[in-house]
Amino acid sequence: MGRTVADQIVETLEAACVKRVYGLVGDSLNGFTDALRRRKTIEWLHVRHEEVAAFAAGAEAHLTGNLTVCAGSCGPGNLHLINGLFDCHRSRVPVLAIAAHIPSPEIGLDYFQATHPEQLFRECSGYCELVSTPAQMPRVLEAAIRHAVTNRCVAVIVIPGDVALLPAGDQKATLTQGLLPALPALVPSPETIRDLAALLNAGQKISLLCGGGCAGAHDQLLDLAARLKSPIVHALRGKEHVEWENPFDVGMTGLIGFASGYAAMEACDTLLMLGTDFPYRQFYPAKAKIAQVDIRGEVIGRRAAVDLGVIGDVGATIGALLPHLHARQDMAHLETSIAHYKQARAALDTQASGDGRRLHPQQVTDTASRLAAADAIFTCDVGLPTVWAARHLQMNGKRRLIGSFWHGSMANAMAQAIGAQAAFPGRQVVSLSGDGGFTMLMGDLLSLKQLNLPVKVIVFNNGALGFIELEQKSSGFVDTGTDLENPDFAAMANAIGIKGVRITAPSEVESKLAEAFAYPGPVVIDAVINRMELAMPPKITGEMAKGFTLYMMKAVMNGRADEVMELAATNLLR
Ligand SMILES: Cc1ncc(C[n+]2csc(CCOP(=O)(O)OP(=O)(O)O)c2C)c(N)n1
Ligand SMILES: [Mg+2]
C-alpha cells in the first residue's frame, strides 16, 4: 500500500512530538490504527471506554504541557469521547481528538452510526473541522495542532474512514519548529505596571488570590508576598503550584476551602488576583479594590468587578512590578491571617487523626500523603475525594494534583491516572476515587493490568454518592437516591488479577497503604470509610444551618433518627 492520508496524519503527529494515542478501535479508524502499527513510532493505548481515553490524554497534557491525542471511531465511538473532552477543553490543556466518521458518500443520508461530529464537538473544542479530501491534509491537521497548543484547548479533526485510506498528496513533511512555535512571555506595558503598582502601594491590607496561572511562578509569588506582607490564598487549581514551602500560605478559599482562606479575602482592602478565574462570586470581598492579572483578557472582571485589569503572565508581571512597589512594614494583616490559618490547619489535622473507632477519609488521605513518593502524581474524583485532596494532600513542588476542577465530572480520577502513569512510568500515581466515580468507569480497571500501569487506586468506599448526600442534607432534603450497594472491591480486584487491599479499621491504614504503595503493580485499596462525614464549607450560611435543621426534623419524622444520631456522633464528638 502506498502512503495514505492516515500515514500522513501519523507523520504529522510525530513532528508534533506525540508519544502515544489513547483510544478504542473501530472500522472507520482502521486506516489510522494500521498506520500507527506499521510505523511503530507512536504507541496505541487502547482503553475500554473512549471517555477514559479523553481524560487520560488530558492528564498527560496537564502534566507535560505537551500536545496529546485521543481517538474514537465513528458515531457512538467518538461520542463517548465528549465528556472527557469537555474536561480537557475547560481545563485548558492541549488535546487533539481524532473523530473518525462514517463513509463520506453516506454523509447526510442517515446512514448506520451517523452523527455530525463537526457539530457535536463544537462546544468542547476551539477548532473542529471535517477533512473531506486528501488535498486538505496535512494543513487542516496542522491548524488543529497549532490551535490546541497555542490556545491550550481541544482541537478535533473529523475524518471519514475512507478518506483516511486515500493516497496522500505530495505535500512536504512538516517540521517540528514550524508546527510548534514557542509561546512568548506576556509582559504588560510599563504604564499598566505603574497603575498596578500605584493601586497596590495605596492598599493597607493586601491579599493575593492565586490560581493555576501561577504555575512556574512560585519564587516570584513569594517575593511579591514578602514585599507586600500579603497572605496568599489559593483556588483549587493553584494548590499544586503555590501551597508548598510558602510562609505566606493561608489555605484555600471556596466551598471546599479553609475558613482562613475565606477570612484573608474578607479582611483585605485590596485583592490581587493572579492567574485565577475562581468562579464563586460569593467568596469575593464586597468592599476591597481588586486588580486581576491573567493572560486571557476575556476572563478579567467576570467574577468580581475589578478596578484594574492586567493582561500578562503572572511571573513576568510580578518581575516587572517588584521594582515599583514600596516595601511595607506593617505585618498585622499577614500575621492575623497566618494565625487563623494555623488554627484552621490544626482543626483539619485533628479530623485526620480520627477517633480510633470509625475509619475517616481524612485519615486515609493524610496517611496516603505522608507515605506517597516525593514526586507522586495524585488524581482525585469529583465529589468528596476532591475535598479530602484539597485539605489533606501535601504538595511540595514536585508532586502534582489533577482533578476535574472546572468541568466537575465524576469518574475522572482513575482515567486521568491512566494518562499520568503512561506518561510517567517511573513515578508513583495515586488515584483518590469515590466509590461512585470508580464504578462509573470501572471497566477501565482492566486497562491498568492490560497496559501494565502500576496505578494505586484508593477507593473511598462510603457506600454513597456522598457529596450529593451532603448537599441534599444541607439544603433541607432528606437524602435520597444516594445509596451505593458495593461489592468487596479488593476481592473483586483480586479476582481480575489486580492486587486488592481492604482497609476497614483506623489501625490498619498505615500498614495497608504502605503495603499497597510498595507493590510494583496496580493495586485497588478498598477503604471502607465512614459515610456520615460532614465536609463543611468555610462559610456556613444561615441558609445552610436552616437546611440541616430541616433535614434533621424531616429525617426524624421519617423514622431515620438513628442516622441523625450517627451524623452527630461522627462529626461532633471528634
Ligand atoms: C458525570 C457526573 N454525574 C453526576 C454528577 C453529580 N455529582 C457530583 S459528586 C457526586 C457524587 C460522587 O460520589 P462518589 O464518587 O461516591 O464520591 P463521594 O462524594 O461519595 O466521596 C455526584 C453524583 C457529576 N458531577 N458528574
Ligand atoms: Mg462515595
Side-chain angles (χ1 to χ4, degrees):
M1 185 167 33
R3 181 170 166 270
T4 62
V5 171
D7 286 298
Q8 197 176 34
I9 293 176
V10 180
E11 282 166 22
T12 306
L13 297 184
E14 287 165 9
C17 306
V18 170
K19 302 284 182 289
R20 54 193 69 78
V21 177
Y22 303 88
L24 206 147
V25 295
D27 63 350
S28 49
L29 258 181
N30 283 345
F32 177 64
T33 46
D34 191 58
L36 287 176
R37 181 189 63 78
R38 282 184 281 103
R39 295 181 67 86
K40 298 187 177 60
T41 47
I42 294 176
E43 207 183 345
W44 172 255
L45 291 188
H46 97 75
V47 293
R48 307 289 174 132
H49 190 305
E50 292 86 351
E51 182 173 342
V52 171
F55 272 121
E60 180 176 343
H62 180 110
L63 294 169
T64 62
N66 299 333
L67 179 78
T68 62
V69 184
C70 58
S73 61
C74 67
N78 64 51
L79 205 55
H80 264 185
L81 290 171
I82 282 185
N83 188 50
L85 288 180
F86 262 92
D87 182 78
C88 298
H89 190 56
R90 305 200 60 207
S91 292
R92 309 192 61 240
V93 291
V95 173
L96 172 76
I98 298 174
H101 200 12
I102 58 170
S104 54
E106 307 299 339
I107 293 175
L109 296 164
D110 201 18
Y111 187 65
F112 175 63
Q113 296 187 320
T115 59
H116 292 90
E118 70 282 17
Q119 290 173 27
L120 289 170
F121 287 88
R122 180 88 39 217
E123 196 183 335
C124 62
S125 66
Y127 181 92
C128 177
E129 295 293 341
L130 174 69
V131 178
S132 314
T133 81
Q136 284 173 278
M137 293 295 273
R139 289 173 301 135
V140 167
L141 178 56
E142 289 183 9
I145 290 172
R146 289 199 191 91
H147 267 271
V149 172
T150 53
N151 300 328
R152 294 192 296 159
C153 66
V154 168
V156 184
I157 62 159
V158 181
I159 179 162
D162 56 303
V163 176
L165 285 168
L166 292 172
D170 50 10
Q171 292 88 339
K172 275 219 219 113
T174 306
L175 295 178
T176 304
Q177 295 88 325
L179 189 54
L180 302 176
L183 301 180
L186 258 185
V187 191
S189 71
E191 295 76 42
T192 306
I193 290 292
R194 275 198 291 275
D195 289 346
L196 180 56
L199 187 138
L200 294 171
N201 284 331
Q204 299 303 315
K205 296 172 166 187
I206 305 170
S207 294
L208 310 181
L209 174 63
C210 300
C214 293
H218 187 267
D219 290 354
Q220 293 94 322
L221 260 182
L222 263 58
D223 286 348
L224 178 66
R227 185 73 60 90
L228 296 174
K229 306 288 183 283
S230 288
I232 295 183
V233 183
H234 61 268
L236 186 48
R237 275 169 53 106
K239 179 179 167 81
E240 60 170 341
H241 305 298
V242 309
E243 192 185 41
W244 45 282
E245 289 172 23
N246 181 346
F248 306 94
D249 172 38
V250 295
M252 194 171 96
T253 185
L255 288 166
I256 64 175
F258 302 17
S260 53
Y262 172 71
M265 299 254 293
E266 237 352 73
C268 73
D269 61 28
T270 308
L271 179 72
L272 177 58
M273 297 168 62
L274 295 166
T276 181
D277 185 28
F278 173 71
Y280 299 104
R281 289 189 289 143
Q282 68 271 35
F283 286 90
Y284 283 90
K287 297 203 189 90
K289 278 200 173 335
I290 301 181
Q292 182 174 2
V293 179
D294 205 289
I295 53 172
R296 294 176 295 159
E298 71 272 21
V299 310
I300 291 174
R302 72 177 172 187
R303 309 301 177 190
V306 297
D307 297 276
L308 179 66
V310 177
I311 300 177
D313 285 335
V314 171
T317 302
I318 296 175
L321 176 68
L322 277 174
H324 300 273
L325 293 178
H326 304 156
R328 189 175 296 272
Q329 306 306 330
D330 183 0
M331 303 280 285
H333 175 53
L334 178 60
E335 284 171 354
T336 312
S337 304
I338 288 177
H340 192 183
Y341 172 62
K342 286 190 175 144
Q343 260 177 22
R345 186 66 260 168
L348 291 173
D349 291 344
T350 305
Q351 291 185 354
S353 64
D355 60 9
R357 285 183 296 141
R358 294 177 182 83
L359 179 55
H360 294 292
Q362 297 93 331
Q363 184 195 350
V364 175
T365 316
D366 185 76
T367 311
S369 180
R370 264 188 302 108
L371 298 181
D375 64 347
I377 299 165
F378 294 93
T379 62
C380 59
D381 260 340
V382 162
L384 292 173
T386 295
V387 182
W388 314 139
R391 295 179 179 178
H392 297 281
L393 285 184
Q394 215 167 25
M395 296 287 112
N396 58 12
K398 294 187 280 297
R399 287 183 169 181
R400 302 297 307 267
L401 173 63
I402 315 176
S404 181
F405 297 152
W406 268 113
H407 188 46
S409 170
M410 282 172 72
N412 59 293
M414 188 176 71
Q416 290 172 325
I418 287 175
Q421 191 78 79
F424 294 96
R427 282 171 75 168
Q428 188 176 62
V429 179
V430 181
S431 172
L432 307 181
S433 298
D435 47 355
F438 174 62
T439 52
M440 193 175 258
L441 286 174
M442 196 159 65
D444 267 283
L445 180 59
L446 302 175
S447 302
L448 300 186
K449 184 159 170 58
Q450 178 161 356
L451 299 176
N452 219 350
L453 302 171
V455 173
K456 312 299 180 246
V457 183
I458 302 179
V459 182
F460 286 80
N461 183 354
N462 56 359
L465 298 165
F467 190 81
I468 302 303
E469 187 161 284
L470 193 57
E471 278 186 342
Q472 289 176 346
K473 287 174 182 170
S474 66
S475 38
F477 295 108
V478 178
D479 47 300
T480 182
T482 56
D483 283 348
L484 296 174
E485 204 175 303
N486 290 325
D488 174 335
F489 289 120
M492 183 191 82
N494 284 322
I496 56 178
I498 289 176
K499 183 179 171 68
V501 171
R502 192 163 160 95
I503 306 178
T504 54
S507 58
E508 302 170 332
V509 174
E510 187 99 12
S511 60
K512 292 209 169 165
L513 273 181
E515 175 197 343
F517 284 180
Y519 186 75
V523 184
V524 170
I525 300 115
D526 183 7
V528 187
I529 52 160
N530 177 49
R531 176 168 177 172
M532 298 283 175
E533 213 62 52
L534 282 183
M536 297 312 288
K539 175 170 110 172
I540 298 170
T541 57
E543 204 122 309
M544 198 174 280
K546 232 165 52 193
F548 268 116
T549 312
L550 199 60
Y551 150 71
M552 287 193 265
M553 281 162 45
K554 284 186 189 171
V556 170
M557 283 183 331
N558 282 281
R560 293 168 65 170
D562 48 341
E563 289 172 25
V564 175
M565 294 303 289
E566 176 59 19
L567 189 74
T570 296
N571 296 285
L572 303 180
L573 304 180
R574 230 188 312 167

